[in-house]
Amino acid sequence: MTGIRLTAPAPGWAIDADVVVVGSGVAGLTTALRCAAAGLDTVVVTKARLDDGSTRWAQGGIAAALGEGDTPEQHLDDTLVAGAGLCDEEAVRTLVTEGPDAVRRLINTGAHFDTTDSGDIALTREGGHHRRRIAHAGGDATGAEISRALVGAVRGAALHTIENALVLDLLTDFEGRTAGVSLHVMGEGQHDGVGAVRAPSVVLATGGMGQVFSATTNPSVSTGDGVALALRAGAEVSDLEFVQFHPTVLFLGADSEGQQPLVSEAVRGEGAHLVDGDGVRFMLGQHELAELAPRDIVAKAITRRMHEHGAEHMYLDARHFGASMWEQRFPTILAACRAHGIEPVTDPIPVAPAAHYASGGVRTDLRGRTTVPGLYACGEVACTGVHGANRLASNSLLEGLVFAERIAADIAEVRPPRTEPAERPAASGGTAEGPVALLAPEARTAIQRTMTRGAGVLRSADSLAAAARELEGLHRDAAGAGGAKAVVPGVDAWEATNLLLVSRVLVAAAREREETRGCHWREDRPDRDDAHGRNHLVVRLAPDRTPVVDRTESAAFPPVRASH
């Protein structure tokens, strides 16, 4: 344990449970439902409303070998290729083998997927898939339907939920084992202000960290809180350098910041073409799958073409779909385009890459266990080894489903006893052990612009070094602030502080990986280095709050070595 924690008031209230699940996307709610079904007293904590996480925004669908002629082995092969030599094959095999039944259980929970005229699940293709294996709902509203079904099931089961709550830090007992979380509830409700949920099992399902960049498809709540909490608690994180930039995000202007509308890969799966300003299809000849190449390849091709033409965006041409197909298959995307004055039925859609998905996160084993006893992670916040250097399209919802069920089964089997959280001595923000001096909320924009400029789609030794210097400057400024200059604890300051920590660790890993692999693109190291690069970078936080980067011996993860 590091003894590092956010500066915050002491908890003024507490509740007890067997399990606390942090997050309310597909990973969190599936875990909570399975834990409750096993008879465990389960509490769900979520940062906004139950249906406000990243799952709701997922458009394309969920990948599984459900179609005739498709097999888990074929799904495995496509995943390994997309992962650019860094997938943990055992983790991928677990995902693709258990995936189809996990999807069927999701359907039994109440999720309704689009079907064919014969009543079978309708399947489409996305980038990197050689077969149609993407199940979708509402045309392009898969995440919203999954969220609706799971939220309904949670409410139907009368689970204890705490909404509008930012989780702050992990609580541990005197032996260093998980004993719950501290959290701050925003607004009125059953609980208010800083409190604690005391539980021997904590499941992080907090989603991504897209808000470290200026433009992202992630909602505003995706500030890397789970990764930051885990680092402060002494957990290992891995693969943070592999941030997937979605190739086709609706271009709203070079200065547009915050959450950007996504144009799902399924649009290309149904036959849309990427073209430049002259109408030329530039993906032909770049990859055997052309527009349906893995996302890192498409994002790089778009970026290269933009640089060659001095353009700020490329175009996605789906005019040949016609109005009827747009309205029936992609109603959400059609509405988003029209809301911004773009008519995809008659005009190509301006698109550019934007931060989308974190392939890395808190390192876990195949049961979702982290390197801290009693702490689990699931979904985008976790790094199971499934995604390697680049996530295969629509594997994320499936990963959340499969590993959520595994986590619940492990907790139900172990059923650790409840213990009392250890009191931590008060300490000033300048010491190694004790609370972290908070970053001023206005620093959030500086972090995002630094990361976009230095650690975005295109990276180099120089750009990453500049980003590291700027981030360390912010870190030192916060640590040196005191007295009247000290930042008042609050949600905006806590989020900015989390973003800074996650950004520092991401940049440290990106500087260490001196090659181009998957969605980590080093301009100064354009080649993939299989002799030295087929391993993972594992990062932990030293007591002096500096990132310590270690390299694994192979693409397989070592054991988590935590006694759960």
Side-chain angles (χ1 to χ4, degrees), residues 310-359:
E312 295 180 325
H313 61 82
M314 290 288 110
Y315 293 94
L316 189 63
D317 192 352
R319 291 175 291 179
H320 54 286
F321 284 5
S324 177
M325 180 174 174
W326 266 111
E327 290 164 1
Q328 293 176 23
R329 180 68 178 86
F330 300 111
T332 307
I333 298 169
L334 179 64
C337 288
R338 287 175 170 171
H340 293 283
I342 299 161
E343 179 48 75
V345 176
T346 57
D347 298 302
I349 304 167
V351 293
H356 181 56
Y357 187 87
S359 293

Side-chain angles (χ1 to χ4, degrees), residues 195-207:
V197 180
R198 298 181 299 213
S201 297
V202 172
V203 183
L204 297 177
T206 52

Side-chain angles (χ1 to χ4, degrees), residues 408-435:
D410 191 72
I411 296 173
E413 178 184 341
V414 176
R415 293 184 183 266
R418 298 180 185 180
T419 57
E420 285 294 315
E423 290 291 330
R424 295 221 179 264
S428 68
T431 63
E433 170 125 350

